[in-house]
């Protein structure tokens, strides 16, 4: 790909919607998300020649966007331990055969965006990106214990919101 | 990864996969233009281009310097010619090249009144830059062969007969100064660069399974390129070697390649897919690649219960695989000049040793290479023989252009695995520039 503006715009138009959704997941609000998107794309264009075809191109761009988001929030938010390792709260037991039908992607995104930043970061990196707690600890400068506890809290909050949302839906349907 | 994962994680992962949100319209407009940083590869290409320019300029300046020296030498010779009565044959100035490196060396001086009877035997056998034979104009009717092969200088009433590599300039006292031309061995060394596109000859295998596999493969355009140096053993025979880089390969067709498997299945190591080919088994080491095959060549190590492709969303990359082998080669070739004119006709024959430096399998998606894996059992060493018949055109005294169709026969198979196909023959056109010194 050449460095001219038109080619860069084509690349932007093609992948920006998917990457903007990733930015929203990590940012929590649209203003921050657009800054992450812009900064991330600048890094993508500057480092295009470094893409060595080891994996998909979209995956490579996504990693740059995620790293950009992490860089912005690493110093902005203090992602400290919530509790001691021994005090990690286990998630509530999930009902068997729970049907989460009716949950739109927008609902899921909104729930993540409403999480406190420290929980949102860990949940995104663990559940959506597939990093281990050790890797998350290195990326966010927190301990593994803090990562585990933040994840546990994030899951609790999300589960309750999901159940609230789907519970309201079932009550409406039963009327 | 799939066994004990909380449901909430899966809900969000699956729900947000491929989710898109249109960004605000002004994000792009407010983004500044970004120059793409050049990869270091471009730096190396730039250095190589610079070296090529420097080399070309040095060749051109060396050629020009030699011409200037030759002109100066001729000027010096012309300055030695006095206003004597006997005109000096212009052959002196336009005869064969005087080696500008050797100084003008006066071997002997003969007063013109000293004559030596013509001795035909002596003249025809005369081939060393020593004393000339002076033939009396009246007594000598020089043999036709002598007249054609020697330089004749008219000096007074006599002809001075010299072998072709002697030049004479008279001194003001009408003495003859015999100037020896340093015998030049000739430009025996050559260096050059060459390029040869090749294509493998199609043929059939020796088993039904091989023939079946070959139906699903097409040869990829191959090439070899390199630097050569040659030594001229005689005026017609030369020996050539060098270092080269060659690439051969085939396209595996009727096979679908997808990306996205790593979202659903984590490989614990090793290849997830094996594809049987005529040149060996391809092992797919890329954990994101999923392969389906219409010709029953593919097997997988993914447990049958773990994957249900109908539920998963993969990105279709292409319907073929490229299987490529690249070698670093050292050839050894003898070249014989059958016709030696302005355009020479050469016959060449030789062998080459190749060391496998790249064994890769990839597919192409949207103009980009996506690595898939490698071919198991590829032979690290290859030996081949080749035969060619070509032409050499002299662009100048130092530079020539060669073009030579050739046939190459591989003495070793591409793969050590049994049941594979050797592809013994390939055809190519060798072309390159050589510089003599």
């Amino acid at each position: 790909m050449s460095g001219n503006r038109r080619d860069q715009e084509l690349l932007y138009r093609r992948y920006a919607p998917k990457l903007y959704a990733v930015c929203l997941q990590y940012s929590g609000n649209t203003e921050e998300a657009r800054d992450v998107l812009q900064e991330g794309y600048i890094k993508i264009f500057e480092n295009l020649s470094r893409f060595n075809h080891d994996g998909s191109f979209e995956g490579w761009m996504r990693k740059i966007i995620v790293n950009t988001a992490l860089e912005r929030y690493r110093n902005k938010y203090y992602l400290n331990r919530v509790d001691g390792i021994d005090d990690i709260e286990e998630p509530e037991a999930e009902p068997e055969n729970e049907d989460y039908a009716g949950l739109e992607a927008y609902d899921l995104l909104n729930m993540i965006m409403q999480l406190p930043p420290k929980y949102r970061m860990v949940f995104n990196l663990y559940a959506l990106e597939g990093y281990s707690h050790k890797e998350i600890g290195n990326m966010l400068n927190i301990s593994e214990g803090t990562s585990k506890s933040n994840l546990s809290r994030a899951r609790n909050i999300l589960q309750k919101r999901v159940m609230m949302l789907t519970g309201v839906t079932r009550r409406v349907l039963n009327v | 990864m799939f066994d004990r994962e909380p449901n909430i994680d899966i809900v969000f992962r699956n729900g947000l996969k491929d989710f898109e949100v249109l960004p605000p319209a002004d994000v792009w407009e407010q983004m500044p233009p970004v120059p793409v940083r050049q990869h270091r590869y471009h730096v190396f290409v730039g250095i190589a281009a610079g070296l090529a320019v420097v080399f070309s300029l040095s060749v051109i300046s060396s050629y020009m310097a030699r011409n200037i020296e030759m002109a100066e030498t001729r000027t010096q010779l012309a300055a030695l010619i006095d206003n004597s009565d006997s005109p000096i044959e212009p052959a002196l100035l336009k005869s064969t090249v005087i080696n500008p490196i050797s100084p003008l060396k006066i071997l002997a001086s003969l007063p013109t009144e000293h004559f030596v009877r013509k001795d035909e035997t002596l003249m025809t056998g005369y081939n060393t830059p020593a004393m000339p034979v002076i033939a009396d104009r009246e007594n000598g009717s020089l043999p036709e062969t002598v007249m054609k092969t020697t330089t004749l200088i008219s000096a007074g009433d006599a002809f001075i007969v010299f072998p072709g590599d002697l030049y004479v300039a008279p001194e003001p006292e009408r003495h003859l100064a015999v100037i020896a031309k340093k015998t030049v061995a000739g430009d025996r060394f050559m260096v050059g660069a060459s390029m040869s596109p090749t294509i493998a000859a199609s043929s059939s295998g020796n088993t039904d399974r091989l023939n079946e596999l070959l139906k699903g493969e097409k040869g990829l355009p191959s090439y070899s390129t390199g630097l050569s140096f040659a030594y001229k053993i005689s005026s017609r025979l030369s020996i050539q070697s060098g270092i080269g880089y060659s690439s051969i390969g085939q396209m595996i067709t009727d096979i679908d390649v997808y990306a996205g498997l790593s979202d659903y299945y984590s490989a614990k190591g090793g290849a997830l897919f094996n594809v049987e080919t005529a040149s060996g088994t391809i092992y797919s080491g890329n954990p994101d690649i999923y392969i389906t095959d219409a010709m029953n060549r593919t097997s997988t190590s993914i447990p049958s219960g773990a994957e249900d492709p109908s539920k998963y969303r993969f990105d279709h990359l292409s319907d073929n695989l490229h299987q490529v082998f690249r070698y670093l080669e050292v050839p050894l070739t003898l070249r014989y000049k059958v016709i030696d004119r302005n355009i020479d006709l050469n016959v060449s024959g030789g062998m080459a040793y190749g060391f496998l430096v790249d064994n890769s399998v990839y597919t192409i998606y949207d103009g980009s290479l996506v690595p898939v894996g490698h071919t198991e059992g590829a032979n690290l060493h290859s030996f081949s023989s080749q035969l060619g018949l070509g032409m050499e055109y002299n662009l100048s005294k130092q530079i020539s252009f060669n073009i030579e169709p050739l046939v190459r026969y591989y003495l070793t198979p591409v793969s050590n695995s049994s049941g594979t196909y050797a592809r013994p023959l390939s055809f190519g056109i060798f072309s390159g520039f050589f510089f003599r010194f």
Side-chain angles (χ1 to χ4, degrees):
Chain A
M1 151 164 281
S2 70
N4 69 57
R5 184 83 173 157
R6 177 158 171 73
D7 292 334
Q8 290 177 352
E9 186 178 356
L10 286 173
L11 184 68
Y12 172 83
R13 299 276 176 224
R14 182 167 174 182
Y15 292 100
K18 217 176 254 190
L19 296 177
Y20 185 59
V22 174
C23 294
L24 286 168
Q25 277 169 229
Y26 283 87
S27 305
N29 63 75
T30 53
E31 281 303 310
E32 298 285 351
R34 58 180 288 156
D35 290 343
V36 170
L37 183 69
Q38 210 171 58
E39 209 174 303
Y41 255 101
I42 288 173
K43 288 182 185 173
I44 288 169
F45 293 145
E46 284 177 347
N47 293 287
L48 268 176
S49 57
R50 291 189 182 185
F51 175 59
N52 58 7
H53 306 286
D54 189 15
S56 71
F57 182 57
E58 188 180 316
W60 177 77
M61 288 198 298
R62 186 188 172 102
K63 269 193 190 147
I64 291 180
I65 294 291
V66 169
N67 286 338
T68 304
L70 289 178
E71 203 177 312
R72 282 178 75 90
Y73 295 103
R74 219 186 322 264
N75 297 323
K76 189 174 176 182
Y77 293 99
Y78 296 99
L79 303 168
N80 294 319
R81 291 181 58 172
V82 173
D83 296 308
I85 296 175
D86 295 334
D87 300 332
I88 290 174
E89 206 174 310
E90 289 294 325
E92 293 177 6
E94 296 178 23
E96 293 289 331
N97 300 322
E98 186 54 63
D99 180 12
Y100 293 131
L103 282 175
E104 299 289 339
Y106 267 113
D107 297 324
L108 298 173
L109 180 63
N110 277 330
M111 284 186 235
I112 287 184
M113 288 174 70
Q114 287 167 18
L115 282 175
K118 48 195 171 186
Y119 303 155
R120 182 170 66 240
M121 286 299 186
V122 175
F123 183 79
N124 281 333
L125 290 171
Y126 187 89
L128 305 187
E129 307 294 340
Y131 289 105
S132 66
H133 286 296
K134 186 176 178 182
E135 288 168 326
I136 294 171
N138 291 333
M139 292 159 83
L140 301 181
N141 292 329
I142 57 176
S143 65
E144 277 188 60
T146 304
S147 176
K148 287 178 184 174
S149 55
N150 284 346
L151 176 67
S152 174
R153 288 297 177 90
R155 279 175 176 160
N156 270 340
I157 296 171
L158 290 173
Q159 277 172 337
K160 286 177 185 168
R161 287 184 182 158
V162 164
M163 289 176 68
M164 279 173 55
L165 203 63
T166 52
V168 168
T169 304
R170 282 201 298 277
R171 281 201 295 278
V172 168
L173 287 175
N174 285 335
V175 165
Chain B
M1 181 179 167
F2 288 94
D3 293 335
R4 299 179 57 194
E5 199 163 17
N7 197 20
I8 195 69
D9 288 6
I10 297 176
V11 167
F12 277 84
R13 188 187 309 125
N14 288 345
L16 291 173
K17 184 179 165 61
D18 295 329
F19 181 51
E20 295 183 358
V21 177
L22 275 178
D26 59 347
V27 170
W28 172 252
E29 280 141 28
Q30 290 176 9
M31 194 176 303
V34 181
V36 176
R37 280 185 204 153
Q38 295 297 323
H39 196 274
R40 274 193 301 174
Y41 168 75
H42 294 280
V43 174
F44 295 136
V45 170
I47 291 173
L51 287 174
V53 168
V54 167
F55 178 73
S56 304
L57 286 175
S58 65
V59 167
I60 292 169
S61 59
S62 166
Y63 181 73
M64 289 175 64
R66 288 189 68 169
N67 276 350
I68 291 170
E69 280 195 70
M70 284 163 55
E72 286 176 354
T73 306
R74 291 203 177 100
T75 304
Q76 287 174 12
L77 276 179
L80 290 176
I81 298 170
D82 64 347
N83 296 320
S84 63
D85 295 336
S86 5
I88 299 302
E89 282 289 337
L92 174 68
L93 293 178
K94 65 180 180 187
S95 56
T96 54
V97 174
I98 298 171
N99 187 345
I101 298 173
S102 64
L104 298 178
K105 183 178 174 183
I106 298 176
L107 288 182
S109 156
L110 293 175
T112 52
E113 60 269 20
H114 291 168
F115 290 94
V116 175
R117 284 284 175 193
K118 177 186 73 170
D119 183 338
E120 191 168 307
T121 305
L122 182 62
M123 279 192 292
T124 55
Y126 195 65
N127 57 5
T128 58
M131 305 295 284
V133 174
I134 300 175
D136 184 14
R137 192 195 289 273
E138 287 186 12
N139 289 336
S141 55
L142 298 171
E144 197 65 27
T145 52
V146 173
M147 289 182 72
K148 280 184 184 172
T149 58
T150 58
T151 302
L152 297 181
I153 305 297
S154 171
D157 296 326
F159 286 106
I160 313 299
V161 180
F162 297 96
D165 57 349
L166 276 184
Y167 303 89
V168 170
E171 292 179 343
E173 298 78 23
R174 295 176 62 83
H175 279 65
L176 295 172
V178 177
I179 304 167
K181 174 184 152 197
K182 182 177 176 181
T183 303
V184 176
D187 296 330
R188 287 192 179 269
F189 293 94
M190 289 190 292
V191 292
S194 62
M195 167 80 179
S196 172
T198 58
I199 190 160
S202 60
S203 181
S204 59
N206 51 12
T207 64
D208 290 340
R209 181 59 181 159
L210 260 182
N211 286 330
E212 202 178 315
L213 291 173
L214 286 169
K215 282 180 192 166
E217 297 181 15
K218 282 193 293 193
L220 287 173
S222 306
Y223 65 88
S224 67
T225 180
L227 294 173
S228 309
F229 53 87
Y231 176 73
K232 208 192 259 190
I233 299 171
S234 70
S235 61
R236 288 184 181 258
L237 184 66
S238 62
I239 184 167
Q240 180 179 315
S241 186
I243 189 156
Y245 185 75
S246 72
S247 170
I248 57 172
Q250 37 278 333
M251 183 189 292
I252 315 300
T253 58
D254 297 311
I255 194 164
D256 286 298
V257 185
Y258 300 84
L261 178 63
S262 59
D263 291 340
Y264 305 101
Y265 186 77
S266 294
K268 290 183 175 59
L272 287 177
F273 290 91
N274 298 346
V275 181
E276 191 184 355
T277 74
S279 301
T281 302
I282 292 173
Y283 280 30
S284 165
N286 187 337
D288 198 43
I289 293 294
Y290 182 84
I291 297 175
T292 62
D293 179 15
M295 290 180 64
N296 197 28
R297 296 165 291 189
T298 304
S299 57
T300 180
S301 59
I302 299 175
S304 56
E307 53 133 337
D308 183 359
S310 62
K311 289 187 182 172
Y312 302 150
R313 293 174 61 184
F314 292 140
D315 296 322
H316 184 256
L317 299 182
S318 74
D319 58 1
N320 57 68
L321 288 172
H322 290 233
Q323 182 186 42
V324 174
F325 304 96
R326 297 192 173 102
Y327 298 88
L328 210 58
E329 289 189 333
V330 177
L332 187 65
T333 308
L334 284 174
R335 187 167 270 112
Y336 183 76
K337 202 172 286 192
V338 176
I339 296 175
D340 189 359
R341 293 275 187 272
N342 198 26
I343 297 179
D344 305 331
L345 187 69
N346 300 323
V347 172
S348 69
M351 293 187 64
Y353 162 73
F355 181 74
L356 184 69
V357 293
D358 183 20
N359 164 10
S360 59
V361 177
Y362 57 87
T363 192
I364 295 180
Y365 171 63
D366 205 20
S368 302
L369 287 180
V370 179
V372 172
H374 69 281
T375 304
E376 190 68 13
N379 207 337
L380 278 181
H381 310 282
S382 85
F383 289 92
S384 60
S385 60
Q386 67 184 46
L387 201 60
L389 177 69
M391 293 187 298
E392 181 179 344
Y393 177 68
N394 295 314
L395 298 171
S396 71
K397 283 186 179 137
Q398 264 74 42
I399 300 175
S400 65
F401 174 70
N402 287 30
I403 185 160
E404 186 175 310
L406 53 83
V407 173
R408 176 178 269 198
Y409 180 77
Y410 284 90
L411 302 170
T412 51
V414 171
S415 170
N416 286 326
S417 305
S418 61
T420 56
Y421 180 58
R423 294 193 192 278
L425 270 180
S426 71
F427 299 97
I429 296 182
F430 166 91
S431 60
F433 289 91
F434 280 90
F435 174 72
R436 287 187 284 266
F437 61 95

